[in-house]
Every structure is written in structure tokens, then in C-alpha cells.
Amino acid sequence: MQHDKVLVLDFGSQVTQLIARRVRDASVYCEIHPNDVSDEFVRSYAPKAIILSGSHASTYEDHELRAPQAVWDLGVPVLGICYGMQTMAVQLGGKVEWSDHREFGYAEVRAHGHTQLLDGIQDFETPERHGMLKVWMSHGDKVTVLPPGFKLMASTPSCPIAGMADEARRLYAVQFHPEVTHTLQGEAMLRRFVRDIAGCKGDWQMGSYIDEAVAKIREQVGDEEVILGLSGGVDSSVAAALIHRAIGDQLTCVFVDHGLLRLNEGKMVMEMFAGRLHAKVVHVDASEQFLGTLAGVADPERKRKIIGAEFVEVFQAEAKKLTNAKWLAQGTIYPDVVESGGTKTKKATTIKSHHNVGGLPETLGLKLLEPLRELFKDEVRALGVALGLPPDMVYRHPFPGPGLGVRILGEIKKDYADLLRRADAIFIEELRNTIDPATGKSWYALTSQAFAVFLPVKSVGVMGDGRTYDYVVALRAVQTSDFMTADWAELPYALLKRTSGRIINEVRGINRVTYDVSSKPPATIEWE
């Protein structure tokens, strides 16, 4: 690729991917690599700038978590974030110590020194005309001695050195996290760093990415055939369209009905892909196979791994029917990799396993093709639009690969899935039909992901003059820009009332509906 490139070195933070997303929002290409890459790798990558991520570790405890010496020798701009600031300080002659005033959450930072990074960027001024920033902190250590050549760039009362800079060498560092949305000017800071300080061209666009991705897929695949697991969700749909653009009939999509799909999902998927895209689609009804294997299993990690293993078995069987099938394509995207602890450093904490990350056996017999693995959800949607996919496909809410298997808490049973399917369909229908007067958009469009969850508990109710003892469902709706963090959607009470009334009246077996008001973090978007 001929793009200017930014190198993000990952020290094991859960939000490293957000750094990359903000850089790409500035139309600059970047890649994430582990902090322990070699000096030769850093030089050969030829970055226009380098960003050092945060970490859960301490500089005085984990001496392996250091940036390669080439980072300081290349002469390109470097930005250290949180732990990245601390390792910059230690490696260049400063000092980091444990702090007895830890900061986790909202903070107000005072800018100092009129550095290029922060010049003109502020949220408000104090009566003394000090520029202030509203930021997100997450640290227990702090820089106590500046390295030689550095000056103070930012401070808080409990963190006197919250930012530092050596502008002669274009080295900048902040103790807070500009990559998270809670830092209001974070996007402006990162844009300033990569576009103005580093001078990167803003040429990273999904339209141009298509040609590069198509060329890469053709080079990888050659004249071999590809089999793709199609779920009907955004990720696998865009992956299918992109690969089909590259190799046409060399792609065979396999749509697996595992008995855990949404209402009428199978019919919709076949009409969409066989009808609109004119792609080869094989429909496999494996519902009995999946539900049989899952019988009696309640642990969410075991359910995910079983579903993943069954998917692989189905793909292997279908691949054997294709004489030249050598590749298995998947719609894996960045957040999948992060939550599975799949960053290349292996230092990030695993939140939950994804069926399409790290679960493929060596006996698969197929090479893996993941053209979306480095993209965020919003980039995947932009790519889908650029590929000419219809908006109702591209902007459909995400649906997990394990399907309703991770929306039925505890053991999975067919009758649980049938109840949940109908309740979920009612919720989505009400979201689509309810227009927000302030925006003119439906609440389906205003939420990023919405669904119902089946709770394997019963509660007492009354219908007519009779007592009921039936199941409970929880409704979940979130709003997010990146799916790494999410806020629960403040749906109108009238919408929730209609949805609850319809579910209880129309789905026999459910007599109570609740609404989930948990954000991510601390909760995840899916319940399992």
C-alpha cells in the first residue's frame, strides 16, 4: 500500500483498538503491532508516526513492556498514551512512581506551554484563563520526573505531570486516554498528531480500500475456491460481497441454520444473497445437530466453543463437496479479536470467546481468509455501502455468530428458542415502527443493537382471573459508535409499554418483561 502509515504499539490495553479507530477517523491508515517487535520491524514498517498504547502493567514491575529502541531513533513523531507516556519517561531518563492518588474516570486537565498538540484545543477556560480539557483517566502510577529535554504539557491536582512534550524531537505524551469518547477533544488531539504534526495524508477511505482488498484476496486465493460461513449479519454479509467482488463464482457461501436464528431469518438470508447478490449459497439445516450437542450445557463459554466446533464440522463437510475448496472465509472484525484476548501481544485479558476467533482446529484442512479482521464496525458498514449493498442490509443490527445461543441464559432448549424468537421479533418491529419526533428517525435506526434475552426463571403473574407461572424476557438496546463501549438506550416509556404488552399477550409462555439499563463497561453488550 502507498498510504502514509501510523504504527500503534500495543502494550496490552483493552482499548488499544480505539486508538487505531480514531486514527482512521482522521483518514490515516494505521496498524497495531505488539510492543516487543524488533527494531528491524519498526524500521522496515517505515511509519510516519508512532503511538504507544496504555497497559494494565506498571513500568517498574514488567520490564519487558518497553518500546523498541528504533522508536526513539527513527526521528518520527511519537505519542505516548497512559502507560505509553510512562514507558517514554522511563526509557528517556525520567522517573515513574506508584501514586497514592489514583485516577479512574472523569478528570479535568489543565493545559500548559502552548504545545502544538494542544494549542487551541480546550473544553473551557477558568477565570484565570487557563485552558481546560475534560478527559478520561485510568492510572495508578504517574511520572514524577520529566526526562531531559521535556517540558510540562498538562496537569491535574493529583497528577502534576499529566502530559509532557519534547517538541524539538516531536515527542508527546498524555496520562489520559484521548482514544475514548469520554475525552471530549480526544479525536481532535489524535487528528492534530497524525495530520498536522506527522504530516500524514488523509487518503484512507473505504472506497480506495476496496481495490486494495480485492487485489489482496485475488493474490491470496489464486484459482482456488473459498467457502464462507454466512450468518446474514453485517460482517459476514460485507465479507461475502467483498470476496464475491474479487473472485466471483470461486466463492460458495454456506448458510447454516443452527436452530438459533431470528424469526424468518433463513428465508430472508436466501432471498438477500441468492436473489440480490446472485452469489452461490448453500442452505444447510443443522438445527438438530446443534441443539442435540448443546443439550444440558449451561456455561456460556462452553456453549460458544461447542457452537464454534459444530460450525467447523459443517464447513468441513461442505468443503469436501467442493473439488477445489482450499479457504474458509469469515467475517471476523477487530472487536471480536480484542474481546477474545486475541491481540498479538496476548497480554490483553480475555472477556469472552468468539466462535470465529482462535477456535479452528489444525485438522480443518482449510486456510483462513479474513478480509475484515483489521476493520471496525463503522468501517465495515462504510465498506458495505461502497460495495453497493442495500442500506437495509448494511445497517442491520449485528447478530452474534452463536445466535440465540448467547441470548438464552443457561441451558438451550428448542421451546426456549421458539419463545425468544417471537419476543425478539415483536421488539424489533416496535423499534422500526416508532419514530422519534426530534430526529425523524425510527428507534431501530437510533439504536446500534437491540434484542431480547430469555431468562430461565419463572415468575407469578395473573391473566384474566387466572394465575400464571411463566418465563421472563429482558429487552436490551444500546447506542455506540465503536462497540468497544456502549450506553443503554433511553427508549421512550410508551415504546417499552407497547412492546411489553404485545410480548405478554402474543407469546404464550412469557408473563414478564424487563429492560436492561447496564452500559458497557462494566457489562458486555450480549449477556453471554
Side-chain angles (χ1 to χ4, degrees), residues 87-106:
T87 196
M88 180 185 291
V90 169
Q91 291 186 250
L92 298 181
K95 188 174 182 180
V96 172
E97 297 179 8
W98 176 82
S99 175
D100 56 359
H101 293 287
R102 299 184 300 169
E103 291 181 297
F104 294 96
Y106 174 79

Side-chain angles (χ1 to χ4, degrees), residues 60 94 111 127 138 196 234 238-239 249 277 288 325 330 332 445 484 495 521:
Y60 47 80
S138 181
D196 299 337
V234 176
V238 174
D249 286 345
L277 281 184
E288 290 187 6
Q330 296 186 144
T332 308
M484 298 296 292
L495 167 58

